[in-house]
């Protein structure tokens, strides 16, 4: 599953918003007396708030659907500037779960009125990471197959400066790989199978791979490793050495 992350400077228009299926709105810290920043369907959402039991300062998002043909699912939160990392991670997970439960093809994020660059970057980092983590498919060996996740695009509005989504995507890919490996059953955790996966990764990412088998390690007097390898019924254990030399130029692969 490949998910692309797009960055756009300005807010979407009303017409563009009307075509969205999933929209996350992050506002600056507000109270009842403060004016709201401008964004599509602001008046509709403010009118909804008058008729529901919801505090704009709540640590749980407001969930509602727009009165358009698409029925855009919206989650909205007011963000404190001094939000702790734990609070931000918890909030990002809640927003991600709301929309991923609908199994959308695209999720859009807007941050109208949030002017602090550091907060904008923290929100982008945490929210995109939470969405990517929730959208990743883990190995499943049950008789009933899990429903395939359809998310392919995350569009983030409101980042007027350069922001490195490549780093987030690379870190997410690394975290997903680690989670996949730990979720595998014992018969899929043999050294030989691991080595085949590593060889495939090395080929895809232009890494150099060298494998030291037990015979080589015996010559190098790697007794501690060989003692552990004796627990394997097959003589397929060893040490894989990976190296990567970045190419010069603009087209550099992000490595996490």
């Amino acid at each position: 599953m490949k998910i692309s992350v797009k960055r756009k400077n300005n807010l979407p228009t009303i017409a563009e918003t009307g075509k969205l299926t999933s929209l996350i709105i992050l506002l600056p810290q507000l109270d009842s007396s403060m004016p709201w920043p401008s964004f599509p369907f602001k008046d509709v959402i403010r009118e909804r708030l008058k008729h529901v039991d919801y505090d704009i300062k709540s640590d749980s998002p407001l969930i509602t659907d727009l009165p358009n043909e698409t029925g855009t699912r919206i989650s909205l939160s007011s963000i404190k500037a001094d939000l702790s990392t734990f609070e931000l991670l918890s909030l990002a997970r809640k927003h991600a779960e709301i929309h991923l439960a609908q199994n959308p093809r695209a999720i859009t994020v807007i941050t109208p009125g949030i002017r602090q660059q550091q907060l904008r970057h923290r929100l982008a980092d945490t929210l995109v990471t939470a969405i990517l983590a929730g959208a990743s498919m883990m190995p499943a060996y049950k008789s009933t197959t899990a429903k395939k996740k359809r998310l392919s695009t995350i569009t983030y509005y409101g980042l007027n400066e350069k922001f490195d989504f490549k780093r987030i995507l690379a870190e997410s890919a690394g975290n997903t790989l680690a989670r996949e490996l730990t979720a595998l059953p014992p018969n899929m955790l043999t050294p030989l199978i691991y080595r085949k996966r590593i060889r495939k990764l090395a080929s895809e990412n232009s890494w150099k791979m060298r494998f030291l088998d037990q015979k080589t390690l015996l010559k190098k007097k790697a007794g501690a490793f060989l003692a552990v390898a004796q627990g394997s019924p097959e003589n397929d254990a060893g040490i894989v050495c990976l190296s990567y030399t970045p190419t010069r130029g603009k087209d550099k692969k992000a490595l996490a």
Side-chain angles (χ1 to χ4, degrees):
M1 176 191 62
K2 186 175 182 180
I3 299 175
S4 64
V5 183
K6 302 176 181 179
R7 179 178 64 86
K8 296 193 176 183
N9 294 345
N10 301 318
L11 293 175
T13 64
I14 291 180
E16 289 171 334
T17 305
K19 298 177 182 178
L20 303 176
T21 55
S22 297
L23 176 62
I24 298 173
I25 303 174
L26 303 177
L27 302 175
Q29 187 172 12
L30 299 170
D31 58 40
S32 58
S33 63
M34 293 176 64
W36 282 34
S38 179
F39 61 91
F41 294 97
K42 175 186 75 174
D43 294 338
V44 171
I45 295 173
R46 293 201 70 174
E47 187 64 26
R48 293 265 176 94
L49 282 173
K50 296 177 182 178
H51 304 286
V52 297
D53 183 19
Y54 180 80
D55 183 355
I56 193 64
K57 297 179 182 179
S58 172
D59 57 3
S60 293
L62 169 71
I63 306 171
T64 188
D65 295 334
L66 289 180
N68 54 11
E69 186 175 346
T70 310
T72 306
R73 170 58 53 93
I74 284 180
S75 63
L76 178 145
S77 288
S78 173
I79 307 296
K80 297 186 298 181
D82 59 348
L83 205 65
S84 70
T85 300
F86 177 78
E87 290 172 324
L88 187 53
L89 287 169
S90 299
L91 184 63
R93 177 182 53 79
K94 291 175 183 178
H95 277 281
E97 288 178 347
I98 289 167
H99 295 281
L100 291 173
Q102 307 297 311
N103 201 15
R105 288 187 171 89
I107 294 177
T108 301
V109 184
I110 64 174
T111 57
I114 297 181
R115 304 186 183 282
Q116 304 98 318
Q117 184 182 55
Q118 183 180 13
L119 180 57
R120 285 200 303 268
H121 285 192
R122 289 181 67 209
L123 290 172
D125 192 328
T126 310
L127 194 54
V128 172
T129 297
I131 295 172
L132 291 172
S136 60
M137 292 285 291
M138 292 293 105
Y141 299 93
K142 297 180 180 179
S143 56
T144 55
T145 56
K147 190 175 182 180
K148 186 176 181 180
K149 297 182 180 180
R150 304 189 302 169
L151 184 67
S152 62
T153 307
I154 302 170
T155 305
Y156 205 105
Y157 287 83
L159 286 173
N160 297 318
E161 59 286 321
K162 289 183 178 180
F163 187 82
D164 188 12
F165 280 119
K166 288 183 179 179
R167 175 187 59 80
I168 298 176
L169 287 166
E171 291 176 350
S172 173
N175 289 334
T176 299
L177 175 61
R179 290 168 61 199
E180 285 178 356
L181 293 175
T182 57
L184 290 174
N187 63 322
M188 297 294 290
L189 295 173
T190 66
L192 179 60
I193 293 174
Y194 263 163
R195 194 162 75 250
K196 287 181 178 178
R197 292 189 63 137
I198 295 170
R199 193 180 303 281
K200 184 174 182 293
L201 282 171
S203 175
E204 293 171 347
N205 294 279
S206 302
W207 302 339
K208 291 181 180 179
M209 174 178 164
R210 186 163 58 101
F211 178 65
L212 306 178
D213 59 17
Q214 293 190 46
K215 187 180 293 185
T216 303
L217 293 172
L218 184 62
K219 292 179 181 178
K220 292 181 177 293
K221 299 182 179 180
F225 176 86
L226 292 171
V228 175
Q230 288 178 0
S232 177
E234 302 292 337
N235 189 25
D236 56 359
I239 295 177
V240 171
C241 303
L242 295 173
S243 61
Y244 174 69
T245 304
T247 56
R248 293 184 179 182
K250 295 182 180 179
D251 186 19
K252 296 180 179 179
K253 293 183 179 180
L255 183 64

